[in-house]
Amino acid sequence: KRELFSGLEFPTTTHQRVVGWLFTEMAVYLRGRKADCHLIAAPFAVYLGEDGDGFLTPDITIVGRGGELDDAGCHGTPDWVAEVVSPHSRTADYGRKLAAYINAGVREYWIVDPKQQMIVAYYLDHPDAPFICRFGENLKSDIYEGLEIDTSPLLEIRYDEKGMPGHLTNGHGKEGASEEGRRSERAWDGVRQAACQGGPSGDSAKDESDSGR
């Protein structure tokens, strides 16, 4: 069995520190709520398709009633997933994985981007209007009542530019020249332009998203 869209790269120290921080925040919230769900960190297989072969391994997964757990992983659709962008995974995180999660019905998908120092949250109800939270701001969830995370601790992590990508790559660690790579590059360009223009972020993004529903 294989992981879809995998560059087969070992995660960086920065990546693991960010994953550990976010996992702790989500665990504290869920423990306090006694929610009927399961919080699981990678390596953990999520089988979104019906063929039972290909799978994804989100950095963090919350499985609710939409997914069935066994020792092989999650079969079905998780409620919430998060990916922390690594040098080799940018194109997949913003492109193919985004499409796979939204098409499968994942209710909320967070992309934590250390290089750009922001979290981009996609919601199933309005996937074309991502919520952009810069490190240091508070991030709220659309599906978990009362979940609001202060992302200031992410500013305290030292991000080594030598370990960050200077260009987009495809899922195999090579420069993406395929149409799929170009589509994901355009998707990332849209997020980057929104961030450079100062929005959408903070509560204003919620207002813009709500008005477009």
Side-chain angles (χ1 to χ4, degrees), residues 90-103:
R90 178 172 298 275
T91 297
D93 291 339
Y94 281 101
R96 291 170 289 174
K97 288 186 178 182
L98 168 61
Y101 291 140
I102 294 299
N103 290 338

Side-chain angles (χ1 to χ4, degrees), residues 2-209:
R2 68 194 188 282
E3 179 187 359
L4 302 175
F5 320 137
S6 172
L8 300 178
E9 297 281 348
F10 203 72
T12 64
T13 300
T14 294
H15 176 279
Q16 295 303 89
R17 291 183 66 188
V18 174
V19 169
W21 170 83
L22 182 55
F23 184 90
T24 300
E25 292 291 321
M26 300 304 293
V28 169
Y29 168 81
L30 294 175
R31 186 181 302 117
R33 294 278 172 167
K34 297 182 179 180
D36 183 19
C37 58
H38 304 274
L39 173 68
I40 304 175
F44 174 71
V46 175
Y47 298 87
L48 295 174
E50 297 181 355
D51 58 8
D53 185 18
F55 60 88
L56 290 170
T57 57
D59 288 315
I60 308 174
T61 306
I62 298 179
V63 181
R65 297 179 180 178
E68 180 179 341
L69 289 178
D70 62 19
D71 281 345
C74 170
H75 302 269
T77 304
D79 288 340
W80 180 97
V81 297
E83 298 280 7
V84 177
V85 178
S86 292
H88 68 280
S89 70
R90 178 172 298 275
T91 297
D93 291 339
Y94 281 101
R96 291 170 289 174
K97 288 186 178 182
L98 168 61
Y101 291 140
I102 294 299
N103 290 338
V106 173
R107 297 170 63 194
E108 200 159 294
Y109 171 39
W110 290 9
I111 303 175
V112 186
D113 194 328
K115 182 180 180 182
Q116 300 300 325
Q117 295 198 339
M118 65 184 185
I119 299 175
V120 183
Y122 288 88
Y123 308 110
L124 183 61
D125 289 344
H126 42 94
D128 295 329
F131 182 87
I132 298 174
C133 172
R134 294 170 181 81
F135 289 2
E137 299 177 341
N138 285 8
L139 176 60
K140 297 180 180 179
S141 169
D142 257 16
I143 65 173
Y144 295 117
E145 182 180 359
L147 174 59
E148 181 173 0
I149 296 177
D150 176 11
T151 65
S152 295
L154 291 174
L155 293 171
E156 301 173 4
I157 297 177
R158 181 178 178 180
Y159 301 101
D160 182 5
E161 287 297 322
K162 294 181 181 179
M164 295 300 175
H167 58 274
L168 293 173
T169 63
N170 63 22
H172 300 289
K174 300 179 181 179
E175 293 189 21
S178 66
E179 178 58 28
E180 185 175 32
R182 287 192 289 270
R183 284 199 302 269
S184 58
E185 184 171 344
R186 288 195 295 270
W188 160 240
D189 284 342
V191 172
R192 180 169 52 194
Q193 290 171 8
C196 291
Q197 293 169 1
S201 71
D203 293 336
S204 62
K206 292 283 188 180
D207 296 339
E208 291 183 17
S209 297

